[in-house]
Amino acid sequence: MELRSVEELMDLLYACRGEQPGGEEAGDPLGHALRTAALLRRRRPADKELQVAGLVAPVGPLLGPGDPAVRTAEAVRPLLGPRVARLVRRRADPGPRAHDDDLVGLRQADEEARTAVFDAGVLEDWRTVLELTAARTARLGRVE
């Protein structure tokens, strides 16, 4: 599946609300994603792509069988660009780029969001960030 609009992505993210069977340990995958993105916003306020990479992770299991990170990366690449796709794909298994500052920050925020208790807002708060990221990707011609 290839996401072609922010609205499609928002619909998928809304579908992640609540506990998913066999999914997120902390219960609500969308809540975890919102906390992850909020932590990244606090630490790196100018890096919208990194924040979005923290937000979109829970859609993978909704996209079908296979590795959820790979499915998510493939789905968001046309809409949000190659950097977001790379961060999403490498989030769980950074491999040889384990010391990439972006990946380290993303994984740290992901881990902290599992136990952090704070109001991370609502998904609608992120619509503008998603739209800006998608617009930037479109402006750049979706070139890697």
Side-chain angles (χ1 to χ4, degrees):
M1 174 180 198
E2 186 176 288
L3 296 172
R4 298 190 184 273
S5 72
V6 169
E7 196 59 42
E8 285 180 4
L9 178 55
M10 293 289 287
D11 288 345
L12 275 175
L13 286 165
Y14 275 119
C16 295
R17 286 183 292 195
E19 188 151 347
Q20 302 291 316
E24 184 68 37
E25 295 172 20
D28 178 12
L30 180 58
H32 177 260
L34 288 169
R35 288 188 303 275
T36 301
L39 289 167
L40 291 165
R41 178 182 274 174
R42 290 177 187 173
R43 294 175 186 158
R44 309 253 310 262
D47 195 341
K48 304 302 184 214
E49 289 177 334
L50 182 61
Q51 296 163 26
V52 166
L55 180 66
V56 301
V59 302
L62 300 177
L63 299 173
D67 183 335
V70 171
R71 302 280 304 181
T72 303
E74 290 170 356
V76 302
R77 178 183 297 276
L79 181 64
L80 302 175
R83 180 170 177 244
V84 172
R86 178 185 62 82
L87 289 167
V88 168
R89 182 184 300 257
R90 312 267 328 188
R91 178 181 186 169
D93 180 27
R97 294 183 169 187
H99 297 294
D100 177 318
D101 288 341
D102 295 337
L103 287 171
V104 170
L106 183 56
R107 288 188 345 200
Q108 286 174 342
D110 179 56
E111 283 301 313
E112 187 176 336
R114 293 184 194 287
T115 57
V117 179
F118 64 94
D119 181 5
V122 296
L123 180 57
E124 203 58 42
D125 296 340
W126 289 92
R127 182 180 295 274
T128 302
V129 176
L130 290 168
E131 289 170 346
L132 289 170
T133 304
R136 182 177 183 275
T137 298
R139 237 184 358 264
L140 295 176
R142 298 182 178 141
V143 176
E144 294 197 30

